[in-house]
Structures are given as C-alpha cells and as structure tokens.
Amino acid sequence: MSETHLRFLPVITIYFISFSFQQRIEIHKLRQGDNLILGFSIGGGIDQDPTQNPFSEDKTDKGIYVTRVTEGGPAEVAGLQIGDKIMQVNGWDMTMVTHDQARKRLTKRNEEVVRLLVTRQSLQKAVQQSMMS
Amino acid sequence: MSAAMDTESTYSGYSHYSGHSKKAHRQGSRDRHKSPRSKDGSRSEKSVTIQTPPAEPLLGNDASRAEEGQDDNWGETTTAITGTSEHSISQEDIARISKDLEDSVGLDCKRYLGLTVAAVLGLLVFLTPIAFILLPQILWRDDLEPCGTVCEGLFISVAFKLLILLIGTWALFFRQPKADIPRVFVFRALLLVLIFLFVFSYWLFYGVRILDSKDTNYQGIVQYAVSLVDALLFIHYLAIVLLELRQLQPMFTVKVVRSTDGESRYYSLGHLSIQRAALVVLENYYKDFTVYNPALLTASKSRAAKHMAGLKVYNVDGPGNNASGQSRAMIAAAARRRDSSHNELYYEEADHERRVKKRRARLVVAVEEAFTHIKRLQAEDQQKAPGEMMDPREAAQAIFPSMARALQKYLRTTRQQQYHSMESILQHLSFCITNNMTPKAFLERYLNPGPTLQYDRDRWFSKQWTLVSEEAVTSGLQDGIVFVLKCLDFSLVVNVKKIPFIKLSEEFIDPKSHKFVLRLQSETSV
C-alpha cells in the first residue's frame, strides 16, 4: 500500500505544480499625499504587444506582469517579486484585461488592501528541482 | 603547336616587347621574331582568328594516349570537332574545301571565297527580275500585247522594291568581317542555298513556259517578275529574323573565367551557335577583363613549389614502382606538414599592400603638384605673352620630370611597368592637358590595370585564339555546355547556363488596405 502511494506522489505533486502553483499576496497600500501607492509597476495587457514582455515564458501571454518593485515599498514587504504574473486582484480576473483596466483595478481609491493571486516561474522551477533530487 | 598554325600569316601576337617580360613559365616553342606586319594597319590586326586544331582527338591527347597506347576504339571514344550535325554533308564538303585551301593558299582565301559566292549570287538575284522584264522586249517585241498603264505601274513598283531590297541587303549583309571563324555560319549557308534554289526554280519556269513558248501576255510576265521581287523581299525578312533577331532575346547566361587568375564575368546571350558565342565572349573579353599580366603569377607557383620541396618518398616495403601511390603519399604528407607558408603569404601580402599604398600616395601628390604648374591660356591672353606659349606636347614634356620618378616606382611596385613606355605616358599626359583633365583623371589609367583594349596592340598577349569544344562548333548553345577559348598564355573557360523559366504571378493589393496598429509595451506604476 505504501509503495503505491509513493509511486503516485510525484505524479500528484507534478499536477499541483503545473496547474495551480500560485501564491496569495496581500498588499496594504501606503498613503503618499493624496495617493495610495502600492510600490510596483505593471506591464502587459490584451492591448499590448506580448512579444516584448521579458518576464513571460510564453510570448503570446497577454497577462499582467510585475515589471518593477520599488525597494521598501508595500509590495516588496508583502512578498511580491519582479516577474510575477498577476492572475487576480481582489477576486477580479487579470488575465484578460487591458492595461488601463488593470491599472484601474489596482488603484481604486476606496480600497486600502489588495489581495493578489500571483504565479511565479522561478518558484515552480525551484520546487521541481528539489523534487527531482 | 600544330603545323597548320605555323603557316598562318595574318596573326602577329609575338612581337618584340616580349623581351621585357619574364619568360620563365612560357612554353618553349614560340616564335619571337619581329613581325612588321603588325604595325602597318593591315586588316589582320582587327581580325580575331579562331581556329580549331586540325582533326585530332582532343581529350584523348594527354591522358589516355600515353598509357593505353592506340586504343582501337579511339574514333568513337574521343571527342573531336568534325561537324557531326544534321547539316553535316554540305558543311563537311565546304570544310574540307576550306581546309585544303587553307593549307595551300592561306586563310584569307577562305574568307574571300565565301564573300565572292555571296556577291555573285546577290548580283544574279538582283538582275533576275530586270532580265525577266527585258528579255521579252528584246527577243519578240513585235508579238507582245500592248500593255499600258498597268504595266507601267508594275514597272514602278518593281523598281522601288528592288531599290528597297538593295538598301536592305546593303544594310544587313555588307559588313566588314570582323573575325575568322572555323566553320561556316549555318544560317547564312542555308539562306544562300534557299535563295539559289528559289531563283533557279523561277528561271526554270521562266525558261520553259515563257522563253520557249514565246508567251505574248506581257502583263503576266511583268507580274511574274513582281512576284519574284516580292518573294525576295520576304526572304530578306526571313534573313533578318534568322540572323539578327533570333539571338537578341537573352536565353543563356555564360560565365567566363580566365584560367590564370580566376577573373570571371557573366554575359547574357541569345540563341547562338557555339562559335558565335565564342566571338561575343572574345569581343567582350577585350573590354571587360583586366589585362593579362604574367608578372603577377609567379609568386603563387614559387610558394607551391616550396611547399612540396624537401619531401622524398622511400619505399620500405620492397621493390616495386608504384608511382601513383608514391605521389599520393607525397601529397598527403605535404598537406599534413606544418609549415608557415600561410604566415609568409599573409605578411607578404600585407607588406605589399602597405608599400603600394605609400607609393600611390607619393604619386598622387607629385602629379597634383605637377599639374598646378600648368595653366591654360585664354584666347585674349595668347597675344600678350607670345614667347612663353607651349603646345600640349611641350607642356607635357615640361612637367613630366617632376612626376616621372614617382610614377615609375609605382608602376614597378604594381608590376605594370612593361605596359607603359615613356612615350605613351607623355602622350597620355598631353592628351589630358589638352582636355582639361584633373590629375586624378590622368592617373586613372595607371592606378588600376585596365582592360586589354586600353594598351598598345603590341602589348596584347593574345590575338590568336583556338576554340576547344566537345560539341560541334556550329551547334547551338545548350544548358551545361563548356567550351574553352585557348590562346598561348592562358585560356578562358566558358560555362553556359540556361536562364531559368520564371513563373511570375500577380497579387493585387488594394491601396486602402494599408492599415497599421501601434504595438505598445507600456509600464505603469501603481
């Protein structure tokens, strides 16, 4: 019984990694003067050119990616990293939005906390490597 | 060298200048006598004699003969030029006649034979309609029916058509032959035969039906003559199409490579026979290829000799003279041998380039300075200073010494010194001064080796060419044919390729369909 479990374990973890390795990040906005800032920059969108995105693995991916994270900002504190792809913001889907829509969803004036669902390539690969060894 | 070539008297490629140049790699059996005929502007200077070697097997010569002895099948397996085309019968006869004539009398007669035949035929043809019209008048004038305005109209039309035919024939056929070719032009021969048969059959009909029976219908006779002239005009049209128009449209591209230094050019040709294609190639050779300079070739041979030198083959396995095995062993060893000849070549070439550039700079400066000493006198100034005026030759002689040394050094470095004598340089200088040329225009002739036409005729190495071909020389060009034009010092290898059949299709683009979008990658900070 234990042997069959062990045999199926790598398969199950592979499924988890390839389909749903995602991280939930909660960012508390920082008030600077009149604005609430999050401390990162985004790129991408369905109206943008996906081939120029340096962070995406698939160059037809039109999702929203994190292109810069300011040091010491709320995003960095919360654990957001450069190159992350933002899948959801507060429950709103971000995989099929224009660049401007994405910006609006992140910068709503009445929200102080944004909960992001991000996926990250580097972490996927690290887990895969540790599983193989 | 075959005996036939020695008896020729028209070509004169071996003139006195050959004493200056390096003779190390030339073939031994060349005449070096002065040939004064080359200097008087005789017709032979303009002619390029292409002569096939007398009927010997070509490819069988060097390689196979020595080793296999007289193979019984050499007649079938070797390739020789013996006019084996469908028109072979008349051609072989003519060729045999011409070869006999050649051996006994000389090459000029062959040319003249063709010309006289054509001239006699042309005269006969031209006078035939006139004879058709005049003979009844002379022989049975009283019996003829009177024929008024109709006949006179026909006379006028015959006269003008004959005039047009005369002018057309003069324009098309009366040309100075510019080359001697080995075989008859097939189309010309065919046309002559056609004209002859045509006129002969007309005379036959005339003789039997009209002269013998003394036909009295003069209008019919005149119309018969008019029909002859019309048919002659159509034959003239056929001649234009066959001889001139057919080869205008390019069908083949030929690549011509000189064997000594690999210089190559491409030309476009239409449907030509091999000998005519060879003529075209040679005409373009004199204008496009840089002049053949044997002084530039010696370096590579000495390099190669040094590379193979010092290798000796010892046969350790016992007696036995395996010549090919030994030479193969030598080649393999030479290839593996690690010597620095490539290094030498690289440094030598870089050094040479630097030297040439330095000398060139000195030359350009000297010439520019020399040219500033000369000033052209305007017309009104010419009366003011009569004493100092010089004509271009004297002006050239005055400024020549200041640039002579730099020019001579440059020519020595680029190994062109035998192509330019002092007299020719002075002439060129006075020519440039007369035509208000700048120093750079004067130097253009010396800085780069030009085509062969640029130099004196006695500097040309080659005026006698031999066409070496595996196909019959009068057959048309086909894709993949290779023939060689050999002269004494080098040869031109000509490779014929057909221009590919191009499939061209169209695509219509609506001018309104040119629309664009902006591709952005913007970055927003949140």
Side-chain angles (χ1 to χ4, degrees):
Chain A
M1 189 63 176
S2 57
E3 280 182 13
T4 50
H5 271 291
L6 279 174
R7 211 180 306 137
F8 282 126
L9 196 58
V11 179
I12 293 167
T13 37
I14 286 172
Y15 272 127
F16 265 92
I17 287 165
S18 58
F19 288 156
S20 60
F21 184 79
Q22 285 154 351
Q23 190 175 359
R24 293 194 183 272
I25 293 180
E26 195 174 294
I27 306 180
H28 297 263
K29 290 190 189 175
L30 181 65
R31 182 164 289 278
Q32 256 188 14
D34 206 18
N35 302 322
L36 285 167
I37 62 162
L38 286 158
F40 66 98
S41 299
I42 53 165
I46 53 177
D47 57 340
Q48 306 282 311
D49 178 13
T51 57
Q52 294 182 35
N53 190 343
F55 304 109
S56 58
E57 215 174 76
D58 175 15
K59 290 302 168 191
T60 59
D61 183 6
K62 295 191 175 181
I64 306 291
Y65 280 78
V66 174
T67 56
R68 213 162 35 90
V69 176
T70 54
E71 280 196 11
E76 193 186 14
V77 165
L80 193 66
Q81 285 182 16
I82 184 172
D84 289 352
K85 178 176 174 183
I86 301 177
M87 312 290 280
Q88 288 178 13
V89 171
N90 286 342
W92 291 99
D93 171 57
M94 297 288 264
T95 55
M96 280 290 164
V97 292
T98 67
H99 190 84
D100 210 38
Q101 284 171 344
R103 180 189 59 83
K104 283 187 188 150
R105 295 219 182 116
L106 283 165
T107 53
K108 288 204 158 59
R109 296 180 75 91
N110 50 1
E111 286 175 356
E112 287 237 353
V113 177
V114 285
R115 292 183 179 81
L116 310 177
L117 181 66
V118 304
T119 172
R120 194 177 293 160
Q121 282 176 30
S122 50
L123 213 43
Q124 274 183 7
K125 285 192 187 132
V127 172
Q128 269 176 2
Q129 275 174 2
S130 64
M131 203 196 65
M132 305 286 189
S133 59
Chain B
M1 292 242 285
S2 55
M5 286 166 82
D6 277 335
T7 57
E8 303 310 326
S9 53
T10 57
Y11 50 91
S12 49
Y14 331 119
S15 57
H16 58 279
Y17 94 96
S18 63
H20 299 305
S21 51
K22 297 187 183 146
K23 305 165 197 165
H25 60 285
R26 295 255 191 84
Q27 315 288 335
S29 60
R30 264 185 67 179
D31 279 343
R32 296 226 178 89
H33 65 273
K34 280 195 192 187
S35 49
R37 276 177 123 193
S38 70
K39 303 257 178 148
D40 30 69
S42 62
R43 206 183 308 110
S44 61
E45 282 181 24
K46 281 207 172 184
S47 72
V48 172
T49 311
I50 301 183
Q51 194 192 19
T52 57
E56 298 169 353
L58 282 177
L59 296 185
N61 247 343
D62 306 325
S64 53
R65 275 283 192 90
E67 287 160 338
E68 297 161 16
Q70 191 81 7
D71 191 4
D72 277 339
N73 294 335
W74 71 267
E76 276 98 57
T77 54
T78 52
T79 53
I81 305 174
T82 49
T84 52
S85 54
E86 286 92 65
H87 332 283
S88 61
I89 298 187
S90 56
Q91 260 187 53
E92 272 175 5
D93 287 342
I94 295 177
R96 226 176 289 135
I97 293 173
S98 65
K99 286 240 185 287
D100 289 340
L101 279 178
E102 201 181 292
D103 287 340
S104 59
V105 184
L107 202 55
D108 279 348
C109 273
K110 177 182 162 193
R111 219 191 295 166
Y112 287 135
L113 181 73
L115 280 179
T116 46
V117 164
V120 163
L121 193 63
L123 204 61
L124 188 72
V125 161
F126 188 72
L127 291 177
T128 300
I130 303 177
F132 282 1
I133 295 176
L134 287 180
L135 276 177
Q137 296 270 355
I138 296 170
L139 293 179
W140 61 93
R141 188 192 198 108
D142 309 317
D143 301 332
L144 285 177
E145 289 167 20
C147 164
T149 35
V150 179
C151 275
E152 281 157 21
L154 288 175
F155 288 156
I156 293 178
S157 87
V158 164
F160 274 106
K161 281 182 189 164
L162 277 179
L163 181 68
I164 291 173
L165 194 64
L166 188 67
I167 295 177
T169 312
W170 169 80
L172 191 62
F173 294 119
F174 285 23
R175 278 183 225 163
Q176 224 181 13
K178 43 186 182 170
D180 279 334
I181 45 158
R183 306 276 170 172
V184 203
F185 282 138
V186 172
F187 282 140
R188 280 189 207 177
L190 276 181
L191 277 170
L192 285 178
V193 168
L194 181 69
I195 291 177
F196 176 72
L197 285 177
F198 177 75
V199 169
F200 181 70
S201 62
Y202 261 72
W203 268 110
L204 203 60
F205 183 85
Y206 187 79
V208 168
R209 291 297 196 84
I210 298 179
L211 280 182
D212 278 353
S213 61
K214 299 215 192 256
D215 193 4
T216 55
N217 181 7
Y218 193 51
Q219 186 179 340
I221 295 175
V222 176
Q223 272 176 340
Y224 182 69
V226 172
S227 80
L228 171 66
V229 181
D230 286 341
L232 283 177
L233 279 174
F234 284 130
I235 291 187
H236 189 257
Y237 157 76
L238 186 70
I240 295 179
V241 163
L242 279 182
L243 296 182
E244 303 285 317
L245 288 183
R246 193 167 169 257
Q247 50 251 27
L248 286 183
Q249 197 175 36
M251 296 285 300
F252 298 99
T253 308
V254 301
K255 174 174 182 178
V256 185
V257 182
R258 185 158 58 184
S259 66
T260 49
D261 56 358
E263 187 169 343
S264 62
R265 290 275 188 288
Y266 288 88
Y267 299 113
S268 278
L269 295 177
H271 277 293
L272 290 173
S273 59
I274 292 184
Q275 57 185 3
R276 289 190 72 172
L279 266 183
V280 171
V281 164
L282 282 176
E283 281 159 19
N284 285 320
Y285 167 79
Y286 282 102
K287 135 177 108 71
D288 285 333
F289 279 72
T290 59
V291 67
Y292 165 70
N293 196 345
L296 294 172
L297 298 174
T298 50
S300 65
K301 294 200 180 182
S302 62
R303 259 203 308 274
K306 263 197 287 180
H307 193 65
M308 291 282 275
L311 286 177
K312 253 189 80 92
V313 178
Y314 292 99
N315 202 342
V316 187
D317 295 328
N321 195 10
N322 185 6
S324 67
Q326 275 184 6
S327 47
R328 239 177 272 153
M330 267 191 85
I331 293 171
R336 261 181 258 129
R337 183 178 178 178
R338 235 185 247 224
D339 69 304
S340 54
S341 62
H342 55 277
N343 250 347
E344 276 174 37
L345 172 64
Y346 171 70
Y347 284 116
E348 197 183 299
E349 279 193 349
D351 208 27
H352 180 73
E353 280 229 12
R354 235 182 321 128
R355 238 180 314 141
V356 165
K357 281 196 181 145
K358 239 202 256 175
R359 294 252 165 110
R360 180 197 165 119
R362 276 196 205 136
L363 173 63
V364 169
V365 160
V367 172
E368 280 173 0
E369 212 188 293
F371 266 65
T372 57
H373 295 314
I374 293 269
K375 191 167 106 70
R376 178 176 273 267
L377 277 182
Q378 300 305 318
E380 56 273 8
D381 297 335
Q382 277 178 17
Q383 284 91 42
K384 287 185 204 162
E388 300 163 4
M389 282 196 307
M390 297 186 283
D391 66 356
R393 172 92 194 172
E394 289 162 11
Q397 275 167 340
I399 61 173
F400 180 66
S402 58
M403 65 166 90
R405 197 147 170 271
L407 184 60
Q408 196 188 41
K409 276 193 157 168
Y410 181 80
L411 289 178
R412 281 245 165 93
T413 315
T414 51
R415 315 240 178 94
Q416 288 176 297
Q417 72 269 20
Q418 71 259 31
Y419 289 110
H420 304 285
S421 65
M422 195 170 101
E423 180 55 39
S424 76
I425 299 175
L426 274 173
Q427 248 178 10
H428 186 235
L429 186 55
S430 58
F431 170 77
C432 292
I433 291 175
T434 317
N435 292 307
N436 290 330
M437 292 205 195
T438 58
K440 197 164 177 194
F442 163 72
L443 279 177
E444 165 269 335
R445 178 186 252 223
Y446 304 108
L447 289 180
N448 302 310
T452 317
L453 277 178
Q454 190 179 289
Y455 301 97
D456 291 339
R457 276 179 211 280
D458 50 358
R459 302 280 183 237
W460 297 4
F461 271 88
S462 48
K463 280 186 275 186
Q464 157 97 27
W465 296 86
T466 306
L467 174 58
V468 177
S469 153
E470 293 170 12
E471 311 271 330
V473 149
T474 49
S475 64
L477 288 178
Q478 307 274 338
D479 187 30
I481 284 186
V482 175
F483 59 93
V484 178
L485 285 161
K486 246 192 342 197
C487 79
L488 274 166
D489 300 299
F490 57 94
S491 47
L492 298 173
V493 181
V494 181
N495 199 350
V496 178
K497 288 191 182 46
K498 199 170 153 79
I499 294 180
F501 182 75
I502 296 172
K503 288 205 177 110
L504 196 60
S505 58
E506 70 160 297
E507 185 183 329
F508 174 70
I509 294 185
D510 186 3
K512 296 198 197 107
S513 69
H514 298 296
K515 302 276 182 224
F516 296 94
V517 286
L518 272 181
R519 306 194 78 166
L520 305 166
Q521 183 67 16
S522 41
E523 194 185 347
T524 323
S525 59
V526 294

